[in-house]
Amino acid sequence: MNADLIIYNIGQLVTGKELPVKDGETRMENIEVLNNGYIAVSGSEIMAVGSGEVPSKLIKFTTKLIDAEGCVVTPGMIDSHTHLVHGGSRENEFLDKIAGVPYIEILKRGGGILSSVKATVEATEDELVNAAKKSLRRMLSYGVTTVESKSGYGLDSETELKQLRVNERLKLEQEVDIVSTFMGAHALPEEYKDNREGFIQKVIELLPVIKERELAEFFDVFCEEGVFSNEESRKMYIEAQKYGFKLRIHADEIENTKGAELAKELQMYSADHLMAISEDGIKALKNSDVIANLLPGTSFSLGKDYAPARKMIDEGVQVALSTDYNPGSCPTENLQLIMQIAALKLKMKPKEIFKAVTINAAKSLGRDKRVGSIEEGKKADFVFFDSKNIEYILYHFGINHTSKVFKNGCLVYKK
Ligand code: NIG
Ligand code: FE
């Protein structure tokens, strides 16, 4: 069969394909990087990948040929933890935050997540769609082609459903693939201060409604000291599992609440944040399929400790990296900046970082059969970087290195 599109002369082609782990390598460095690579696309899918001369049998006279001029090409990157859909912004809390008022303290004063809840309740569906589209366009410009998007700024049923409907519209109205997560247990509304059990019941009652309307694939809880305890979280997760939700968790972000251990016990797809993970937590994750989804932009923005990424990776934990894009703890859509922080602060190596935002992020979303690597039969989602090697993309920080983005075989962004 011939290709519709061939990209050739790729200086470094990060296919993202997982290779057997070599001696002296971590289980995060084992991704394939081809020199002088090519990609052949048929329709919206990848039909062949290789290095060296493009086989002539792939080329017909209508095949479009693109010379990558020796640049880096990677799989479309995946941002597997975002709070994309929200009303308003929180620069009014910025000075307090810089002055050192703790994140949980701002929340207790009715600010933080609760102030974004107010803005999201007040926003119309169209306003939320338009704001999210603007963010997605920005994410795409950084090379991101799949984004996980959580609810959790509604807390009341009506607004939670509104946020999830926005996700459904985004799936239809723009190019980036959206994975929808219900996070009704993101904070305890003030009116439930003395009725925690009542709120938890409300979240549980919403599960079948969301399932029936097919509004979310994943369920997530903010399991944290002062938010939802390990026991309370477990209770909601067990119900969610009964309705067929896949699970992910905000775990051990500020205090250790044995969130990683809970993720392993309930076979979740990912445990996210993990700045305060314990030795036992690391042990639990390394003996599991749970992806440790690290969000170093949040540590950077909150001025907190970073997750012990080096230790986790050296012990064999599988790691993903995401922005955590949200209006409070990490207001940025820039996944490249997160990758650069991962290099500088988490001491992650270039191949580990690219694995974390491609195939491992895809696994954390249960999408690794379709996206996350440039392999035959997968979606033709890939990114051109204005760079000759992957190290340069991480080293030259704070700028956007993406020059072109292809989604489903079509050029959707060009610098
Ligand atoms: O992942 N930790 C909880 N949720 C978000 C923050 C949300 C917010 O501050 O609005 C997070 O950091
Ligand atoms: Fe988050």
Side-chain angles (χ1 to χ4, degrees):
M1 226 195 9
N2 319 112
D4 298 314
L5 168 69
I6 290 177
I7 320 284
Y8 67 100
N9 191 19
I10 301 171
Q12 281 191 339
L13 172 57
V14 179
T15 68
K17 178 176 163 183
E18 291 186 274
L19 304 172
V21 181
K22 287 197 220 123
D23 267 355
E25 237 182 26
T26 65
R27 274 180 65 211
M28 286 289 301
E29 285 174 281
N30 63 331
I31 53 163
E32 182 179 62
V33 179
L34 301 174
N35 293 320
N36 187 20
Y38 66 82
I39 307 170
V41 175
S42 166
S44 61
E45 289 187 351
I46 293 157
M47 64 177 288
V49 186
S51 59
E53 195 74 9
V54 180
S56 59
K57 62 169 199 256
L58 291 173
I59 308 172
K60 59 182 170 186
F61 70 97
T62 52
T63 302
K64 187 173 165 54
L65 296 166
I66 296 179
D67 181 356
E69 296 173 357
C71 79
V72 170
V73 174
T74 76
M77 298 195 291
I78 298 172
D79 194 344
S80 56
H81 180 138
T82 85
H83 304 258
L84 169 71
V85 180
H86 58 261
S89 57
R90 306 221 294 268
E91 65 276 22
N92 59 325
E93 294 168 1
F94 191 49
L95 291 183
D96 275 349
K97 179 174 140 177
I98 293 173
V101 183
Y103 178 77
I104 291 288
E105 181 54 39
I106 295 178
L107 178 62
K108 280 187 183 148
R109 294 178 188 172
I113 295 175
L114 294 174
S115 85
S116 293
V117 166
K118 191 165 176 289
T120 308
V121 169
E122 284 166 6
T124 65
E125 203 171 298
D126 280 341
E127 284 166 348
L128 294 175
V129 167
N130 290 334
K133 276 185 185 167
K134 206 166 150 187
S135 287
L136 286 166
R137 192 66 209 163
R138 209 170 266 151
M139 289 170 165
L140 189 72
S141 78
Y142 286 110
V144 171
T145 51
T146 301
V147 169
E148 185 257 10
S149 171
K150 305 175 197 298
S151 69
Y153 290 118
L155 307 183
D156 67 75
S157 321
E158 203 184 311
T159 314
E160 285 295 310
L161 292 172
K162 177 170 75 179
Q163 276 192 283
L164 295 174
R165 280 199 307 271
V166 169
N167 279 346
E168 293 310 300
R169 276 186 56 189
L170 293 172
K171 287 181 189 174
L172 301 173
E173 296 179 19
Q174 54 77 57
E175 293 103 343
V176 177
D177 283 335
I178 303 290
V179 179
S180 186
T181 297
F182 170 48
M183 195 177 181
H186 192 196
L188 188 74
E190 301 227 82
E191 61 275 26
Y192 283 92
K193 242 188 201 139
D194 302 314
N195 183 16
R196 302 182 65 82
E197 198 38 47
F199 182 72
I200 289 169
Q201 274 317 317
K202 278 200 47 157
V203 172
I204 290 173
E205 280 163 23
L206 210 45
L207 290 166
V209 179
I210 290 166
K211 201 69 214 172
E212 149 105 1
R213 299 186 194 175
E214 297 183 24
L215 287 174
E217 187 176 337
F218 282 89
F219 179 65
D220 194 346
V221 175
F222 190 10
C223 177
E224 182 64 50
E225 201 68 59
V227 191
F228 296 100
S229 71
N230 188 297
E231 261 320 301
E232 290 169 338
S233 305
R234 173 188 278 103
K235 186 170 170 181
M236 292 184 268
Y237 279 120
I238 301 239
E239 291 303 316
Q241 225 163 17
K242 283 187 200 156
Y243 291 108
F245 283 90
K246 297 172 184 162
L247 311 181
R248 51 205 315 108
I249 181 170
H250 281 63
D252 307 326
E253 176 176 353
I254 298 158
E255 304 285 340
N256 184 283
T257 56
K258 295 195 190 307
E261 289 89 328
L262 186 61
K264 148 106 195 240
E265 179 196 326
L266 299 180
Q267 298 181 320
M268 298 194 193
Y269 279 72
S270 72
D272 301 33
H273 284 295
L274 306 174
M275 284 110 97
I277 191 171
S278 67
E279 289 283 342
D280 283 346
I282 294 178
K283 217 176 281 163
L285 294 189
K286 86 175 188 203
N287 297 313
S288 76
D289 291 327
V290 182
I291 301 283
N293 199 359
L294 307 184
L295 319 165
T298 307
S299 303
F300 177 73
S301 157
L302 293 179
K304 287 269 171 200
D305 289 342
Y306 289 89
R310 207 50 275 153
K311 182 171 168 56
M312 291 163 82
I313 292 172
D314 291 340
E315 292 202 15
V317 174
Q318 288 296 313
V319 165
L321 286 164
S322 305
T323 57
D324 193 19
Y325 170 55
N326 72 68
S329 67
C330 198
T332 182
E333 295 97 336
N334 184 346
L335 187 60
Q336 283 182 45
L337 176 63
I338 304 307
M339 294 158 69
Q340 293 154 353
I341 297 174
L344 293 167
K345 296 293 180 186
L346 302 186
K347 310 292 176 201
M348 285 175 67
K349 301 177 198 174
K351 281 187 179 177
E352 295 173 338
I353 291 171
F354 278 93
K355 184 174 182 186
V357 294
T358 57
I359 191 66
N360 275 11
K363 284 183 190 170
S364 90
L365 296 175
R367 290 286 196 280
D368 50 308
K369 296 268 183 294
R370 292 296 291 144
V371 294
S373 63
I374 301 174
E375 291 182 86
E376 196 187 323
K378 285 199 175 182
K379 282 194 186 204
D381 294 358
F382 41 82
V383 186
F384 284 45
F385 289 91
D386 189 8
S387 170
K388 299 282 179 217
N389 55 69
I390 56 173
E391 288 78 13
Y392 183 80
I393 298 165
L394 304 169
Y395 146 86
H396 188 169
F397 72 93
I399 63 145
N400 187 0
H401 294 275
T402 299
S403 56
K404 287 191 185 92
V405 181
F406 284 81
K407 183 87 190 73
N408 296 316
C410 297
L411 180 68
V412 289
Y413 169 80
K414 192 167 187 287
K415 191 177 264 172

